[in-house]
Amino acid sequence: MRYRLTFIAGLAVGYVLGTRAGRERYEQLRKGAQRIARNPAVRNTAESAALTGRQTATRVFGTVSAKVEGRLPAPVAERVRSLREQRANDEDDWGTSNT
């Protein structure tokens, strides 16, 4: 109950501060965020971080699935095995960036 009250209080404070700032300030913040997002250096850094994250997730999945496979129930172990085989066929199926 305490967390719910804290959340509602935070929501109310954010609403009041947001309405006092007004639409003009909101538009300024939105345009600033868009300008930052269009910056080539930011885009390259985000793409690099996404690629590193995908590689790390794939590596961790392989390591963890190999270690816990023997301890899982048979249907779950079979599913993990099939996912690992799919990963072997596809180098990266985590998705690609649209940038």
Side-chain angles (χ1 to χ4, degrees), residues 51-69:
L51 180 61
T52 302
R54 286 191 297 267
Q55 291 170 344
T56 302
T58 301
R59 196 170 349 118
V60 167
F61 173 77
T63 303
V64 170
S65 66
K67 287 186 178 186
V68 300
E69 186 178 17

Side-chain angles (χ1 to χ4, degrees), residues 13-23 26:
V13 169
Y15 176 78
V16 169
L17 292 177
T19 55
R20 284 193 181 158
R23 181 73 177 184
Y26 168 77

Side-chain angles (χ1 to χ4, degrees), residues 11-90:
L11 191 64
V13 169
Y15 176 78
V16 169
L17 292 177
T19 55
R20 284 193 181 158
R23 181 73 177 184
E24 182 179 327
R25 180 66 180 147
Y26 168 77
E27 290 297 330
Q28 287 176 346
L29 292 172
R30 188 177 64 81
K31 287 178 183 176
Q34 286 178 340
R35 197 172 334 114
I36 290 170
R38 278 189 240 126
N39 184 332
V42 172
R43 292 174 67 134
N44 289 340
T45 302
E47 182 67 27
S48 174
L51 180 61
T52 302
R54 286 191 297 267
Q55 291 170 344
T56 302
T58 301
R59 196 170 349 118
V60 167
F61 173 77
T63 303
V64 170
S65 66
K67 287 186 178 186
V68 300
E69 186 178 17
R71 300 180 190 140
L72 297 174
V76 177
E78 180 58 36
R79 179 70 178 142
V80 169
R81 196 173 305 112
S82 70
L83 286 172
R84 195 175 325 123
E85 289 170 2
Q86 286 177 0
R87 296 256 183 263
N89 297 336
D90 262 347

